[in-house]
Amino acid sequence: MDLPMVDAVVDASGLSADRARFLICMLSSFPLALFFSTVLHPSRAGPTLRHAFQVSVGLIFCFFCFKTQIFLLLLDTGVCYLLLLLCSPSLVHIAVFVWAILFMSVSHIYRMYTDYNGYTLDFTGPTMVITMKVTSLACSVYDGMSRKEEELNPDQKILAVRKVPSVIEYFSYTFSFTSVLSGPTFNLQDYLAFINGTDKPQGPEPTGYIAGILKFFYAVFFISLTFVCPLTFDTFFDTEWRDSHSFLYVAGYMYVVAFVYRCNYYFAWILADSLCNISGFGFNGYDANGTAKWDKVTNVVPTKTECSSSLKLLVENWNVGTALWLRRVCYERTSWSPTVMTYLLSATWHGFYPGYYGCFLSTAFFILTSIMAVI
C-alpha cells in the first residue's frame, strides 16, 4: 500500500506508483508556479524568499518521489558546492566535472544492477539534470574567475560567473522545483535574472500564462497518444509475429512504436517548459511582430524533430538543453576530436547500455562524414 493519493492515481490511470508520484508532483507544480509568479513576484518578494521557496518545494518533490534517495542527491550537490568553494578557479571545472560524472556513472551502474532494462523512475533522472547544471556552473566560474576576457567567446562572456553563488542561490538553482524532476537545464545567470526579476524589460511586463497553458495542452495531447496507442517493443521479439508480416510492415510498426515512446519524452519536457513559463521563467525577448517569445528553456520541438530533414536539424530540436550543455562543456573546450568526445560524453551521460554507445558514436561518424562530404 502506498499513500492514498498515489493509490488513487494508480487505480485511475493504470500507471506504476513511481510514475504516479511523478505525475502528482508535476501537476501540483502548476498552482505552486502560479503562486510563485503572483504572490512571490519580484515586486512583492525578495530574492532570498523566492530562492527559499524554489529549493523547499524542489526538495519536498524529491523526497516524495525518491524517499531516502534524496540524500544521494544532496551528497552529489553538496560535494560539488564544496569543490566550487575550495578548488582553485583554474581547476574547478575539472574537479566538479570529474566528481559529477563519476557520481552519475555509479548511479547508472547501480540502476543497471537493480533494474536492468527497466523504466522505473528513480534518483538517476534528477542526477542527470544536476550533472548538467553543476558542470555548466563550474565552467562558468572557470571562465569568469580564471580566464581573460579576450579568451572567451561571446557566449562564454555572457555566461561567465565572477563569484561563487551563495548557498541558497546554489541549492535553489540545482533543486528548483520547476526543473529538478525532468529538466530543463539552464545556466545560473539566466536563473538568477529570473529570480531577481531582471530578465524582462522595463514597462508592461510580459507574462507566460498563455504560452504555458498552450504548452500544457500540447503535452496532454502527447501523453494521450500513449494511452490511445499502448504499443511496446515486446511484439518485435515475437518471432512468430515477425515472420508472419513483411519487412515493410515490421519496419513501419517499429517506427510507430518508437514515436509512441518519444511521446513520453515530449510530454515530460513540454510540461516542464509549460511549468517554467507559468512561474515566469523562459522569456526570450520579442519576435519581429513584437510578440513575446517564451522559448528560452524549451527542450524539444516535436514537429521539427519528427520532420527533420537532416541529422543536424534532429539534434538541434531534440533535448535542446542537453545539446547546449554538451556544446558548452565539451565541444568548445576539447582540442582532440571535439565531435567524437562530445558524443562519447553524451553516451556516458545517458548510461552504460551498449546501445547508447552504438547510437551516439555512429552519429558522430555520420556527422564527420557529412562534413567531409561538404568539404
Side-chain angles (χ1 to χ4, degrees):
M1 292 292 291
D2 213 315
L3 293 173
M5 176 171 51
V6 176
D7 287 335
V9 174
V10 169
D11 293 339
S13 64
L15 295 172
S16 59
D18 58 307
R19 293 175 182 271
R21 287 173 177 273
F22 173 84
L23 184 61
I24 290 170
C25 286
M26 293 300 290
L27 294 181
S28 62
S29 294
F30 283 92
L32 293 171
L34 185 61
F35 175 85
F36 187 80
S37 65
T38 53
V39 178
L40 296 184
H41 187 273
S43 63
R44 301 185 181 91
T48 300
L49 180 57
R50 284 167 61 82
H51 280 305
F53 185 84
Q54 284 276 353
V55 69
S56 298
V57 176
L59 289 173
I60 290 171
F61 282 175
C62 287
F63 182 75
F64 179 75
C65 287
F66 313 119
K67 299 181 181 178
T68 56
Q69 290 181 343
I70 188 177
F71 295 111
L72 295 172
L73 300 176
L74 291 171
L75 172 65
D76 184 20
T77 52
V79 170
C80 285
Y81 189 63
L82 288 177
L83 291 173
L84 287 170
L85 291 174
L86 300 177
C87 284
S88 166
S90 62
L91 297 174
V92 68
H93 61 306
I94 298 175
V96 171
F97 181 86
V98 170
W99 164 261
I101 294 298
L102 281 176
F103 185 91
M104 183 185 64
S105 297
V106 172
S107 301
H108 280 313
I109 293 170
Y110 170 79
R111 177 185 173 89
M112 291 177 69
Y113 179 75
T114 58
D115 187 31
Y116 191 84
N117 239 7
Y119 284 92
T120 304
L121 298 177
D122 67 0
F123 76 102
T124 55
T127 299
M128 294 168 72
V129 177
I130 287 170
T131 296
M132 290 190 286
K133 287 184 178 182
V134 295
T135 52
S136 296
L137 171 58
C139 286
S140 294
V141 170
Y142 166 66
D143 292 338
M145 298 176 63
S146 182
R147 300 176 70 190
K148 296 178 181 179
E149 188 79 8
E150 57 269 22
E151 296 176 347
L152 307 179
N153 64 36
D155 191 45
Q156 291 168 345
K157 290 178 181 178
I158 294 172
L159 302 181
V161 174
R162 308 298 176 184
K163 67 173 184 176
V164 176
S166 66
V167 172
I168 194 166
E169 288 175 336
Y170 172 79
F171 282 98
S172 171
Y173 168 63
T174 51
F175 284 99
S176 166
F177 79 91
T178 58
S179 67
V180 68
L181 294 181
S182 63
T185 186
F186 38 77
N187 62 74
L188 179 69
Q189 299 292 49
D190 285 339
Y191 182 71
L192 292 183
F194 155 62
I195 291 293
N196 297 329
T198 59
D199 60 331
K200 301 177 185 68
Q202 297 292 325
E205 182 178 315
T207 63
Y209 300 143
I210 294 178
I213 291 171
L214 290 175
K215 289 176 183 177
F216 173 81
F217 286 110
Y218 198 23
V220 170
F221 165 74
F222 283 112
I223 199 62
S224 299
L225 292 180
T226 66
F227 287 98
V228 174
C229 303
L231 305 177
T232 70
F233 284 110
D234 294 340
T235 306
F236 180 74
F237 298 102
D238 183 346
T239 306
E240 184 178 343
W241 175 86
R242 198 168 62 241
D243 292 342
S244 64
H245 293 86
S246 67
F247 170 79
L248 290 178
Y249 181 90
V250 172
Y253 177 85
M254 297 309 293
Y255 179 85
V256 174
V257 173
F259 170 72
V260 171
Y261 270 71
R262 288 196 296 274
C263 285
N264 290 285
Y265 292 93
Y266 293 152
F267 166 72
W269 288 339
I270 296 173
L271 195 69
D273 190 11
S274 166
L275 176 60
C276 287
N277 291 169
I278 290 175
S279 73
F281 191 27
F283 177 72
N284 199 24
Y286 296 91
D287 63 17
N289 299 319
T291 303
K293 297 187 296 182
W294 287 88
D295 58 359
K296 183 179 283 291
V297 293
T298 293
N299 204 37
V300 68
V301 184
T303 52
K304 292 184 178 180
T305 298
E306 297 300 327
C307 302
S308 56
S309 57
S310 68
L311 194 58
K312 178 177 180 294
L313 288 175
L314 176 62
V315 171
E316 288 176 351
N317 292 285
W318 169 265
N319 209 351
V320 177
T322 300
L324 280 173
W325 169 69
L326 290 166
R327 191 194 80 196
R328 291 166 174 166
V329 170
C330 185
Y331 186 84
E332 294 177 349
R333 301 175 189 273
T334 304
S335 57
W336 185 85
S337 190
T339 300
V340 173
M341 295 304 293
T342 298
Y343 279 95
L344 181 60
L345 174 59
S346 180
T348 303
W349 180 79
H350 282 84
F352 291 97
Y353 290 108
Y356 289 138
Y357 294 84
C359 172
F360 289 109
L361 292 179
S362 64
T363 301
F365 171 77
F366 293 142
I367 289 177
L368 290 172
T369 303
S370 65
I371 293 173
M372 294 173 64
V374 171
I375 295 174

